[in-house]
Amino acid sequence: MKGRYYLRKFLREEHLPTKFCPGCGLGIVMNLFLKAVDESGYKELSGKFVFVSGIGCSAWIPSPYFKADSIHVTHGRSIPVATGIKLAKPELKVVVFGGDGDLAGIGLHHLIFAAHRNVELTVIMCNNMTYAMTGGQAAPTTPYGVKTVTTPYGKISKELDISKILVDAGSSYVARWTTAHPIQLKKSFKKALEINGFSFVEVYSQCPTRFGKELNMFKPVEMMEWFKRNSKVLKKGETIENGEMKLVLGEFVERKRHGYCELYYRNILGEELEKWR
Ligand SMILES: Cc1ncc(C[n+]2csc(CCOP(=O)(O)OP(=O)(O)O)c2C)c(N)n1
Ligand code: SF4
Protein backbone atom coordinates (compact mmCIF):
# COMPACT_ATOMS: atom_id res chain seq x y z
CA MET A 1 0.00 0.00 0.00
CA LYS A 2 3.06 2.31 0.06
CA GLY A 3 2.22 5.42 -1.98
CA ARG A 4 -1.38 4.23 -2.10
CA TYR A 5 -2.38 5.48 1.38
CA TYR A 6 -5.78 6.52 0.03
CA LEU A 7 -6.63 2.87 -0.65
CA ARG A 8 -6.15 2.10 3.03
CA LYS A 9 -8.41 5.03 3.87
CA PHE A 10 -11.25 4.14 1.52
CA LEU A 11 -11.21 0.34 1.09
CA ARG A 12 -12.39 -2.42 3.42
CA GLU A 13 -9.22 -4.48 3.67
CA GLU A 14 -11.07 -7.57 4.86
CA HIS A 15 -12.60 -7.89 1.36
CA LEU A 16 -9.31 -7.57 -0.53
CA PRO A 17 -8.04 -8.70 -2.94
CA THR A 18 -10.96 -7.90 -5.22
CA LYS A 19 -12.74 -10.65 -7.15
CA PHE A 20 -11.85 -9.13 -10.53
CA CYS A 21 -9.83 -11.34 -12.90
CA PRO A 22 -6.09 -10.59 -13.07
CA GLY A 23 -5.48 -7.71 -15.48
CA CYS A 24 -9.11 -6.56 -15.54
CA GLY A 25 -9.51 -2.83 -16.18
CA LEU A 26 -11.98 -2.45 -13.33
CA GLY A 27 -9.16 -2.37 -10.75
CA ILE A 28 -7.65 0.60 -12.61
CA VAL A 29 -11.01 2.41 -12.59
CA MET A 30 -11.43 1.76 -8.86
CA ASN A 31 -7.91 2.95 -8.06
CA LEU A 32 -8.19 6.16 -10.11
CA PHE A 33 -11.62 7.00 -8.76
CA LEU A 34 -10.39 6.72 -5.17
CA LYS A 35 -7.30 8.78 -5.99
CA ALA A 36 -9.58 11.45 -7.46
CA VAL A 37 -11.71 11.41 -4.30
CA ASP A 38 -8.57 11.77 -2.18
CA GLU A 39 -7.18 14.62 -4.28
CA SER A 40 -10.57 16.34 -4.08
CA GLY A 41 -9.98 16.62 -0.33
CA TYR A 42 -12.28 13.95 1.06
CA LYS A 43 -10.94 12.39 4.24
CA GLU A 44 -13.51 9.57 4.19
CA LEU A 45 -16.29 8.24 2.01
CA SER A 46 -18.72 7.41 4.78
CA GLY A 47 -21.31 10.11 5.41
CA LYS A 48 -20.33 11.99 2.23
CA PHE A 49 -21.07 9.47 -0.53
CA VAL A 50 -23.65 6.85 -1.38
CA PHE A 51 -22.79 4.37 -4.14
CA VAL A 52 -25.44 2.71 -6.26
CA SER A 53 -24.91 -0.11 -8.71
CA GLY A 54 -26.86 -2.74 -10.60
CA ILE A 55 -25.59 -6.17 -11.64
CA GLY A 56 -22.43 -7.13 -13.56
CA CYS A 57 -18.67 -7.17 -12.93
CA SER A 58 -18.46 -3.35 -13.12
CA ALA A 59 -21.22 -3.03 -10.56
CA TRP A 60 -18.86 -4.64 -8.05
CA ILE A 61 -16.47 -1.70 -7.94
CA PRO A 62 -18.03 0.07 -4.95
CA SER A 63 -19.39 -2.79 -2.90
CA PRO A 64 -18.34 -4.58 -0.82
CA TYR A 65 -15.03 -2.75 -1.16
CA PHE A 66 -15.68 0.94 -0.38
CA LYS A 67 -16.00 2.08 3.22
CA ALA A 68 -19.34 3.77 2.56
CA ASP A 69 -23.03 3.09 2.22
CA SER A 70 -23.71 1.30 -1.03
CA ILE A 71 -26.60 -0.55 -2.59
CA HIS A 72 -26.87 -3.15 -5.36
CA VAL A 73 -30.19 -3.01 -7.15
CA THR A 74 -31.87 -4.94 -9.96
CA HIS A 75 -29.94 -5.08 -13.23
CA GLY A 76 -30.40 -1.77 -15.11
CA ARG A 77 -32.25 0.09 -12.35
CA SER A 78 -29.43 1.89 -10.56
CA ILE A 79 -30.35 5.34 -11.94
CA PRO A 80 -33.93 5.54 -10.58
CA VAL A 81 -32.75 4.32 -7.18
CA ALA A 82 -29.87 6.83 -7.20
CA THR A 83 -32.30 9.61 -8.18
CA GLY A 84 -34.54 8.72 -5.23
CA ILE A 85 -31.57 8.77 -2.84
CA LYS A 86 -30.41 12.15 -4.16
CA LEU A 87 -33.88 13.66 -3.78
CA ALA A 88 -34.19 12.36 -0.21
CA LYS A 89 -30.61 13.23 0.83
CA PRO A 90 -29.40 16.08 -1.40
CA GLU A 91 -26.43 16.74 0.85
CA LEU A 92 -24.81 13.43 -0.21
CA LYS A 93 -22.77 12.75 -3.35
CA VAL A 94 -24.57 9.95 -5.13
CA VAL A 95 -22.30 7.97 -7.45
CA VAL A 96 -23.42 5.20 -9.78
CA PHE A 97 -21.00 2.57 -11.11
CA GLY A 98 -22.12 0.20 -13.85
CA GLY A 99 -21.28 -1.67 -16.98
CA ASP A 100 -22.35 -0.82 -20.51
CA GLY A 101 -24.91 -3.64 -20.42
CA ASP A 102 -26.39 -2.40 -17.17
CA LEU A 103 -26.47 1.33 -17.93
CA ALA A 104 -26.62 1.48 -21.71
CA GLY A 105 -28.46 -1.76 -22.47
CA ILE A 106 -31.26 -2.71 -20.11
CA GLY A 107 -31.12 0.66 -18.29
CA LEU A 108 -30.64 3.06 -21.21
CA HIS A 109 -33.92 4.95 -20.91
CA HIS A 110 -33.22 5.74 -17.24
CA LEU A 111 -29.79 7.08 -18.18
CA ILE A 112 -31.17 9.34 -20.93
CA PHE A 113 -33.87 10.78 -18.67
CA ALA A 114 -31.43 11.41 -15.82
CA ALA A 115 -29.25 13.39 -18.25
CA HIS A 116 -32.30 15.16 -19.68
CA ARG A 117 -33.47 16.17 -16.18
CA ASN A 118 -29.88 16.93 -15.17
CA VAL A 119 -30.19 14.98 -11.92
CA GLU A 120 -27.18 15.73 -9.73
CA LEU A 121 -25.56 12.29 -10.00
CA THR A 122 -22.10 11.14 -11.04
CA VAL A 123 -22.36 8.11 -13.28
CA ILE A 124 -19.29 6.04 -14.17
CA MET A 125 -19.85 3.56 -16.98
CA CYS A 126 -17.18 0.91 -17.51
CA ASN A 127 -17.47 -0.01 -21.14
CA ASN A 128 -15.85 -3.38 -21.76
CA MET A 129 -17.99 -3.73 -24.92
CA THR A 130 -19.68 -6.90 -23.68
CA TYR A 131 -21.86 -8.51 -21.00
CA ALA A 132 -18.86 -9.90 -19.16
CA MET A 133 -20.41 -11.39 -16.05
CA THR A 134 -22.84 -13.61 -17.98
CA GLY A 135 -20.27 -14.95 -20.45
CA GLY A 136 -19.53 -12.35 -23.11
CA GLN A 137 -22.79 -11.74 -24.99
CA ALA A 138 -23.01 -8.79 -27.39
CA ALA A 139 -23.99 -5.45 -25.85
CA PRO A 140 -25.27 -2.32 -27.65
CA THR A 141 -21.67 -1.09 -27.29
CA THR A 142 -20.06 -4.10 -29.00
CA PRO A 143 -18.43 -2.88 -32.21
CA TYR A 144 -19.74 -3.85 -35.64
CA GLY A 145 -18.45 -7.16 -36.93
CA VAL A 146 -17.20 -8.58 -33.62
CA LYS A 147 -18.06 -12.23 -33.03
CA THR A 148 -19.46 -13.09 -29.62
CA VAL A 149 -21.48 -15.99 -28.24
CA THR A 150 -24.68 -14.23 -29.37
CA THR A 151 -23.28 -12.86 -32.66
CA PRO A 152 -21.47 -15.90 -34.12
CA TYR A 153 -21.44 -14.34 -37.63
CA GLY A 154 -20.20 -10.98 -36.32
CA LYS A 155 -22.38 -8.18 -34.93
CA ILE A 156 -24.52 -6.65 -37.65
CA SER A 157 -25.26 -3.32 -35.97
CA LYS A 158 -22.93 -0.46 -35.12
CA GLU A 159 -21.91 0.30 -31.54
CA LEU A 160 -24.10 2.81 -29.72
CA ASP A 161 -22.29 6.01 -28.78
CA ILE A 162 -23.65 6.57 -25.28
CA SER A 163 -21.58 9.65 -24.47
CA LYS A 164 -22.88 11.36 -27.59
CA ILE A 165 -26.49 10.56 -26.65
CA LEU A 166 -25.96 11.95 -23.15
CA VAL A 167 -24.40 15.17 -24.46
CA ASP A 168 -27.49 15.67 -26.63
CA ALA A 169 -29.81 14.77 -23.74
CA GLY A 170 -28.48 17.71 -21.69
CA SER A 171 -25.85 16.42 -19.24
CA SER A 172 -23.76 18.98 -17.38
CA TYR A 173 -20.55 17.02 -17.93
CA VAL A 174 -19.60 14.14 -20.24
CA ALA A 175 -16.13 12.68 -20.79
CA ARG A 176 -14.75 9.45 -22.20
CA TRP A 177 -11.32 7.87 -21.70
CA THR A 178 -9.77 4.43 -21.54
CA THR A 179 -7.87 2.66 -18.78
CA ALA A 180 -4.74 3.47 -20.82
CA HIS A 181 -5.34 7.22 -20.20
CA PRO A 182 -5.06 7.31 -16.39
CA ILE A 183 -4.12 10.98 -15.97
CA GLN A 184 -7.02 12.26 -18.07
CA LEU A 185 -9.41 9.79 -16.49
CA LYS A 186 -8.55 10.83 -12.94
CA LYS A 187 -8.96 14.49 -13.90
CA SER A 188 -12.39 13.74 -15.33
CA PHE A 189 -13.44 11.89 -12.18
CA LYS A 190 -12.48 14.97 -10.15
CA LYS A 191 -14.43 17.26 -12.45
CA ALA A 192 -17.44 14.95 -12.48
CA LEU A 193 -17.53 14.98 -8.68
CA GLU A 194 -17.29 18.77 -8.60
CA ILE A 195 -19.99 19.56 -11.13
CA ASN A 196 -23.45 20.38 -9.87
CA GLY A 197 -25.57 18.48 -12.35
CA PHE A 198 -25.58 15.18 -14.21
CA SER A 199 -22.00 14.10 -14.82
CA PHE A 200 -21.05 11.05 -16.85
CA VAL A 201 -17.65 9.45 -17.34
CA GLU A 202 -17.38 6.56 -19.77
CA VAL A 203 -14.27 4.38 -19.53
CA TYR A 204 -13.23 1.81 -22.09
CA SER A 205 -12.00 -0.93 -19.80
CA GLN A 206 -10.34 -4.19 -20.80
CA CYS A 207 -12.04 -7.50 -20.08
CA PRO A 208 -9.31 -9.99 -20.97
CA THR A 209 -11.42 -12.96 -19.83
CA ARG A 210 -14.61 -12.48 -21.83
CA PHE A 211 -13.92 -9.93 -24.54
CA GLY A 212 -10.18 -9.99 -25.27
CA LYS A 213 -10.40 -13.40 -26.89
CA GLU A 214 -13.07 -12.13 -29.32
CA LEU A 215 -10.44 -9.70 -30.63
CA ASN A 216 -7.67 -12.31 -30.47
CA MET A 217 -6.06 -10.41 -27.61
CA PHE A 218 -5.33 -12.66 -24.73
CA LYS A 219 -3.19 -10.39 -22.56
CA PRO A 220 -4.64 -7.32 -20.77
CA VAL A 221 -1.73 -5.20 -21.97
CA GLU A 222 -2.56 -6.02 -25.61
CA MET A 223 -6.02 -4.57 -25.10
CA MET A 224 -4.62 -1.43 -23.49
CA GLU A 225 -2.21 -1.01 -26.40
CA TRP A 226 -5.16 -1.46 -28.75
CA PHE A 227 -7.04 1.28 -26.85
CA LYS A 228 -4.08 3.61 -27.38
CA ARG A 229 -3.59 2.75 -31.04
CA ASN A 230 -7.28 2.98 -31.92
CA SER A 231 -8.28 6.11 -30.08
CA LYS A 232 -8.37 9.77 -30.90
CA VAL A 233 -8.61 12.59 -28.35
CA LEU A 234 -11.08 15.21 -29.52
CA LYS A 235 -9.64 18.73 -29.73
CA LYS A 236 -11.55 21.85 -28.71
CA GLY A 237 -14.11 22.75 -31.34
CA GLU A 238 -14.11 19.28 -32.92
CA THR A 239 -17.40 17.42 -32.81
CA ILE A 240 -18.07 14.04 -31.31
CA GLU A 241 -18.65 12.29 -34.63
CA ASN A 242 -17.17 8.79 -34.73
CA GLY A 243 -15.15 9.12 -37.90
CA GLU A 244 -12.52 6.77 -39.13
CA MET A 245 -11.25 6.11 -35.60
CA LYS A 246 -13.16 3.72 -33.35
CA LEU A 247 -12.65 5.20 -29.91
CA VAL A 248 -13.26 8.93 -29.71
CA LEU A 249 -12.06 10.30 -26.38
CA GLY A 250 -12.12 13.61 -24.56
CA GLU A 251 -14.27 15.95 -22.51
CA PHE A 252 -17.34 16.38 -24.70
CA VAL A 253 -19.37 18.88 -22.71
CA GLU A 254 -19.13 20.99 -19.58
CA ARG A 255 -22.02 23.37 -19.06
CA LYS A 256 -23.95 25.10 -16.33
CA ARG A 257 -27.59 24.08 -15.99
CA HIS A 258 -29.92 24.00 -13.03
CA GLY A 259 -30.03 20.55 -11.48
CA TYR A 260 -33.27 18.58 -11.06
CA CYS A 261 -32.93 18.21 -7.31
CA GLU A 262 -32.17 21.92 -6.89
CA LEU A 263 -35.30 22.84 -8.91
CA TYR A 264 -37.44 20.25 -7.14
CA TYR A 265 -36.56 21.71 -3.76
CA ARG A 266 -36.92 25.32 -4.91
CA ASN A 267 -40.02 25.12 -7.12
CA ILE A 268 -41.98 22.41 -5.36
CA LEU A 269 -40.83 22.36 -1.72
CA GLY A 270 -39.94 26.08 -1.51
CA GLU A 271 -36.45 25.39 -0.09
CA GLU A 272 -33.01 26.47 -1.28
CA LEU A 273 -30.32 23.79 -1.45
CA GLU A 274 -27.46 26.27 -1.11
CA LYS A 275 -27.13 25.46 2.59
CA TRP A 276 -25.75 22.01 1.71
CA ARG A 277 -23.00 23.16 -0.60
C1 LIG B 1 -33.29 -8.39 -15.20
C2 LIG B 1 -32.04 -9.17 -15.46
N1 LIG B 1 -31.73 -9.53 -16.72
C3 LIG B 1 -30.58 -10.19 -16.97
C4 LIG B 1 -29.72 -10.50 -15.94
C5 LIG B 1 -28.45 -11.26 -16.24
N2 LIG B 1 -27.29 -10.40 -16.22
C6 LIG B 1 -26.53 -10.24 -15.12
S1 LIG B 1 -25.21 -9.26 -15.37
C7 LIG B 1 -25.65 -9.02 -16.99
C8 LIG B 1 -24.82 -8.21 -17.95
C9 LIG B 1 -23.77 -7.43 -17.32
O1 LIG B 1 -23.11 -6.69 -18.31
P1 LIG B 1 -22.53 -5.28 -18.00
O2 LIG B 1 -23.54 -4.44 -17.33
O3 LIG B 1 -21.94 -4.74 -19.23
O4 LIG B 1 -21.43 -5.56 -16.90
P2 LIG B 1 -20.03 -6.31 -17.00
O5 LIG B 1 -20.25 -7.65 -16.36
O6 LIG B 1 -19.66 -6.39 -18.44
O7 LIG B 1 -19.12 -5.43 -16.22
C10 LIG B 1 -26.81 -9.71 -17.32
C11 LIG B 1 -27.44 -9.73 -18.64
C12 LIG B 1 -30.07 -10.09 -14.64
N3 LIG B 1 -29.26 -10.31 -13.58
N4 LIG B 1 -31.23 -9.43 -14.42
S1 SF4 C 1 -14.96 -11.20 -16.62
FE1 SF4 C 1 -13.95 -9.44 -17.58
S2 SF4 C 1 -14.92 -7.60 -16.64
FE2 SF4 C 1 -15.41 -9.38 -15.36
S3 SF4 C 1 -13.82 -9.36 -13.77
FE3 SF4 C 1 -13.11 -10.75 -15.40
S4 SF4 C 1 -11.86 -9.46 -16.77
FE4 SF4 C 1 -13.08 -8.08 -15.45
Side-chain angles (χ1 to χ4, degrees):
M1 290 264 189
K2 196 162 176 266
R4 301 260 166 92
Y5 58 90
Y6 55 94
L7 295 181
R8 197 178 286 277
K9 243 188 346 184
F10 298 141
L11 289 176
R12 295 182 211 269
E13 285 186 57
E14 68 273 23
H15 289 291
L16 298 177
T18 67
K19 303 289 183 290
F20 304 133
C21 306
C24 175
L26 299 178
I28 298 176
V29 177
M30 177 195 264
N31 179 19
L32 292 170
F33 174 78
L34 293 176
K35 190 149 179 52
V37 168
D38 184 51
E39 288 181 9
S40 300
Y42 290 96
K43 301 266 178 286
E44 56 188 356
L45 298 171
S46 184
K48 309 270 187 248
F49 288 84
V50 174
F51 296 93
V52 186
S53 49
I55 307 295
C57 298
S58 311
W60 284 92
I61 290 180
S63 73
Y65 307 111
F66 288 4
K67 286 182 190 162
D69 287 331
S70 59
I71 177 170
H72 271 287
V73 302
T74 317
H75 188 33
R77 309 296 168 227
S78 50
I79 298 284
V81 174
T83 302
I85 294 172
K86 185 67 190 177
L87 284 169
K89 299 290 252 176
E91 70 276 25
L92 295 175
K93 284 254 168 236
V94 182
V95 180
V96 174
F97 277 93
D100 42 321
D102 193 47
L103 289 165
I106 191 169
L108 178 62
H109 55 303
H110 297 306
L111 193 59
I112 294 173
F113 278 106
H116 166 64
R117 293 176 180 132
N118 205 29
V119 185
E120 296 92 326
L121 305 174
T122 293
V123 179
I124 297 167
M125 188 181 90
C126 303
N127 183 354
N128 52 24
M129 307 180 193
T130 192
Y131 294 166
M133 182 172 265
T134 41
Q137 296 84 2
T141 42
T142 306
Y144 175 82
V146 172
K147 288 185 182 168
T148 70
V149 289
T150 49
T151 55
Y153 300 100
K155 189 164 172 255
I156 55 171
S157 56
K158 209 177 162 300
E159 62 278 12
L160 200 59
D161 189 337
I162 305 303
S163 285
K164 186 172 191 294
I165 291 172
L166 297 184
V167 169
D168 294 345
S171 310
S172 278
Y173 181 73
V174 177
R176 177 163 59 203
W177 300 105
T178 82
T179 49
H181 296 78
I183 293 169
Q184 298 94 322
L185 181 56
K186 187 187 69 181
K187 228 169 124 189
S188 280
F189 283 154
K190 283 164 88 169
K191 225 182 238 182
L193 289 174
E194 228 173 73
I195 274 176
N196 185 40
F198 185 83
S199 57
F200 181 77
V201 182
E202 179 178 357
V203 191
Y204 288 116
S205 170
Q206 73 275 14
C207 167
T209 306
R210 298 292 187 202
F211 195 65
K213 65 180 183 335
E214 310 296 351
L215 303 175
N216 286 323
M217 294 177 205
F218 296 94
K219 291 187 189 153
V221 71
E222 284 180 76
M223 295 201 76
M224 293 176 79
E225 280 165 359
W226 180 74
F227 286 158
K228 279 197 167 169
R229 270 198 321 275
N230 286 288
S231 58
K232 173 186 174 178
V233 179
L234 218 63
K235 294 199 192 81
K236 239 193 164 111
E238 281 183 330
T239 56
I240 190 179
E241 287 309 319
N242 259 348
E244 73 291 3
M245 307 290 287
K246 264 231 154 56
L247 313 176
V248 179
L249 309 178
E251 292 183 290
F252 303 136
V253 76
E254 187 180 340
R255 59 185 159 215
K256 279 207 164 98
R257 272 185 71 202
H258 290 294
Y260 184 75
C261 195
E262 177 192 340
L263 292 179
Y264 177 80
Y265 272 72
R266 180 180 301 151
N267 297 359
I268 297 176
L269 302 183
E271 277 183 51
E272 287 299 329
L273 283 183
E274 277 310 315
K275 60 186 174 196
W276 283 309
R277 295 211 185 102

